Amino acid sequence: MRRGRNWFFLGLTYASYYLCRYNLSPIANELKADLNLSNAQYGAINSGRDGAYAIGQMINGLFTDRVGGKRAMTIGAIGTIILNLAFGMTTWTAISFMLPALVLIRAADGYIQAFGAPGMIKINTAWFRRRERGAFAGIFGAMINLGAIGAGQLGGILATGATLSLVIATLAIPKLDWRYMFFIPPVVVAVIVVLMNIFVKNNPEEAGYEIVHDDEPPSDPNEKIRLRDVWRKIASNRIVWLVAAAYFCTGFVRRAIESWFAVYLNDAWGADRTTGLYDAFVWGLPITATVGSMASGFISDLWFKGRRAPVAATLYFSQTVLTVVALLLPHHGENANAWLAVSIVILISMMCNSTHSILGTAAAMDLGGRKMAGCSSGIIDSFQYYGALLSGYGLGALFDWFARTDLTTTAPTSAPAAAPISPAVWFGSMIPFGVIGTILMGYLWLRFGVSRIEWPRVIWCCAFANIGGTCDVAGRKSTGDGLLGCCLAATNDLPFP
């Protein structure tokens, strides 16, 4: 009961962070139109936030291991409240340096929000054992995605207005300017962070409990480790860097979808915030992310005994296949199907959000342990946002270049400031990152999962066990279990990854 209360308010706090993080993409089209921004300029605002967030993860992860998770999350919450209000007020001015100001404010917000993930992960590492972390990473993913749903729904309400039926009256909410996306979420964060400070404890010992972590030696949970020792320990682990490199790939695809989905809907299908396609994205992205996060966490905990690489490799491969399918779908003519295209994009998002959960949360806790989870999380999660950095300005500039260029003559042509984006460029940019992620996680799976056994026997068993034969791998028998049973027998009971 006490542990449930802790993770509930912790998850609610991080969900409120998402309200202030995902409040830009739903109003991207209005922002570009009202401020006369190109795709590259809109992307620069996103890149400013993502780049500063990446730097903040590296630095703030170290500080979180010193100051504690609850204090770190409080610092991040207060900062994002102030900076979201500043962003909204700036867009109502007529200053000549509007774009640099917005990039700077959003970058500062990205840096300060980077206290949130290391703080959350550090607290959860203390409260959950290794073999529980994958499942609870999925549960936390579900709670966090409430913030993404809230931001998307708020965008729709501001565009159309809403009517709420109460017991004694009906409350009519009028249409509001898109700038209110930066005034309403900070109020929600302010309320929730107060509740978090009341109900959340940094570790079980603060609440009068003790949880034995079998994968770590017994020690004082409040012991402070020197920053340089933490950095040296985590940075010398090559698995951390391989996971971080794969997470770079997740970052590009995840943010490419989150930052540009509203622009894609408008430019490819003529759908704005009042349409069913927008609602499908707003609900579909976080719900499928939740399902994928929870399923991947439970699978890695139960089927692979806490190992993350086998599940991550499968997810990256599935993501790549789906992206190729999306690239081949027609977006014009009688065969074009908007709902099919949107469904495929949502499934791509599901795959990369699942790797986001098991690598960024569960793997970071596994590799860092309760004393160094903040630093481990900071290194791994920062690489996600280095990848995201490319999906902002880089992808926006690529959209503008293709819009200005006649590919049959390579001659520059005129284009409006906010030129329509190309679905082919959008999907094509994601494919290399899915391939690289598959290779990296596949390497970890094979190198550390089955290097101790004979590969010819594994291949033979996996190929022929379905016909009712006996699979005998490394002394473990699996009679008639088929491909899954054989491969699980070969790879279980081994340490991360």
Side-chain angles (χ1 to χ4, degrees):
M1 185 67 179
R2 184 62 187 84
R3 190 161 67 162
R5 189 196 315 165
N6 211 75
W7 67 253
F8 175 79
F9 284 101
L10 193 63
L12 201 61
T13 303
Y14 202 61
S16 73
Y17 270 58
Y18 271 42
L19 275 175
C20 288
R21 184 181 304 179
Y22 286 89
N23 54 352
L24 185 62
S25 54
I27 49 88
N29 294 301
E30 292 86 346
L31 176 82
K32 289 166 57 183
D34 286 6
L35 303 183
N36 195 32
L37 301 180
S38 67
N39 290 311
Q41 290 170 327
Y42 163 69
I45 298 174
N46 283 308
S47 286
R49 194 207 78 85
D50 292 335
Y53 191 91
I55 296 171
Q57 285 280 23
M58 296 283 284
I59 299 172
N60 299 347
L62 283 167
F63 285 129
T64 297
D65 285 326
R66 294 285 294 177
V67 304
K70 189 161 73 170
R71 184 175 297 175
M73 293 196 72
T74 303
I75 293 170
I78 294 172
T80 198
I81 290 170
I82 295 171
L83 291 163
N84 267 265
L85 293 174
F87 190 98
M89 288 186 287
T90 301
T91 61
W92 250 316
T93 68
I95 57 175
S96 58
F97 52 94
M98 175 73 76
L99 179 62
L102 295 181
V103 172
L104 181 62
I105 294 171
R106 202 65 174 174
D109 184 44
Y111 179 85
I112 204 70
Q113 278 217 12
F115 276 102
M120 177 195 69
I121 289 173
K122 183 170 181 62
I123 295 172
N124 281 336
T125 304
W127 280 90
F128 296 101
R129 300 177 183 89
R130 176 187 173 92
R131 292 196 178 186
E132 298 173 314
R133 292 169 185 165
F136 277 95
I139 294 173
F140 263 85
M143 292 197 65
I144 289 167
N145 283 321
L146 292 175
I149 293 174
Q153 286 297 301
L154 179 59
I157 291 172
L158 293 182
T160 62
T163 301
L164 299 179
S165 297
L166 305 177
V167 176
I168 59 175
T170 299
L171 178 64
I173 302 174
K175 292 171 59 175
L176 294 172
D177 191 275
W178 57 266
R179 292 169 178 85
Y180 280 92
M181 284 292 286
F182 303 97
F183 293 102
I184 297 174
V187 176
V188 178
V189 176
V191 173
I192 292 177
V193 75
V194 171
L195 296 176
M196 187 270 291
N197 274 277
I198 294 173
F199 293 108
V200 170
K201 301 297 182 182
N202 280 307
N203 52 60
E205 288 75 13
E206 285 187 6
Y209 297 92
E210 182 179 0
I211 294 177
V212 178
H213 293 263
D214 298 332
D215 57 330
E216 298 181 39
S219 58
D220 180 6
N222 298 309
E223 178 187 355
K224 303 295 183 183
I225 305 177
R226 291 183 301 178
L227 294 182
R228 66 180 183 182
D229 293 336
V230 174
W231 172 259
R232 185 182 299 119
K233 176 70 173 178
I234 296 298
S236 63
N237 187 340
R238 63 172 178 159
I239 295 178
V240 169
W241 296 104
L242 288 170
V243 172
Y247 215 33
F248 178 96
C249 301
T250 291
F252 180 90
V253 177
R254 182 169 177 253
R255 289 292 291 162
I257 294 174
E258 291 169 351
S259 298
W260 295 97
F261 82 88
V263 181
Y264 164 75
L265 286 178
N266 183 74
D267 293 353
W269 304 109
D272 61 18
R273 285 186 286 150
T274 64
T275 63
L277 285 174
Y278 174 83
D279 287 337
F281 256 113
V282 166
W283 286 98
L285 290 181
I287 288 175
T288 56
T290 298
V291 173
S293 297
M294 295 183 70
S296 61
F298 277 109
I299 289 170
S300 65
D301 281 350
L302 299 178
W303 288 4
F304 291 95
K305 307 294 181 66
R307 300 184 60 240
R308 317 301 173 192
V311 180
T314 304
L315 290 168
Y316 279 117
F317 178 75
S318 301
Q319 171 192 307
T320 305
V321 172
L322 287 167
T323 309
V324 172
V325 171
L327 179 64
L328 298 176
L329 286 177
H331 280 73
H332 304 284
E334 61 180 16
N335 293 322
N337 188 317
W339 284 99
L340 177 60
V342 165
S343 298
I344 297 296
V345 176
I346 290 173
L347 288 175
I348 295 170
S349 175
M350 178 181 180
M351 297 301 111
C352 65
N353 273 289
S354 299
T355 59
H356 168 70
S357 175
I358 62 171
L359 294 185
T361 303
M365 290 191 285
D366 295 342
L367 291 166
R370 64 187 299 183
K371 291 184 180 179
M372 294 177 286
C375 179
S376 175
S377 164
I379 292 176
I380 292 172
D381 208 23
S382 69
F383 271 74
Q384 176 189 188
Y385 287 92
Y386 290 130
L389 191 65
L390 296 179
S391 72
Y393 177 79
L395 195 49
L398 197 61
F399 288 142
D400 288 342
W401 184 85
F402 273 88
R404 290 193 306 268
T405 303
D406 182 348
L407 297 182
T408 61
T409 63
T410 67
T413 60
S414 60
I421 70 171
S422 166
V425 173
W426 196 41
F427 293 122
S429 68
M430 301 179 196
I431 292 174
F433 295 96
V435 172
I436 295 170
T438 303
I439 293 171
L440 289 171
M441 287 296 98
Y443 167 77
L444 283 182
W445 182 6
L446 303 183
R447 171 65 179 84
F448 294 93
V450 291
S451 60
R452 305 176 189 178
I453 61 178
E454 281 187 67
W455 263 110
R457 182 176 295 181
V458 175
I459 295 172
W460 179 266
C461 283
C462 290
F464 294 103
N466 269 326
I467 63 174
T470 299
C471 171
D472 184 354
V473 181
R476 280 165 282 195
K477 293 184 181 293
S478 177
T479 303
D481 284 344
L483 175 64
L484 180 62
C486 177
C487 291
L488 290 179
T491 56
N492 277 345
D493 299 321
L494 295 169
F496 185 90

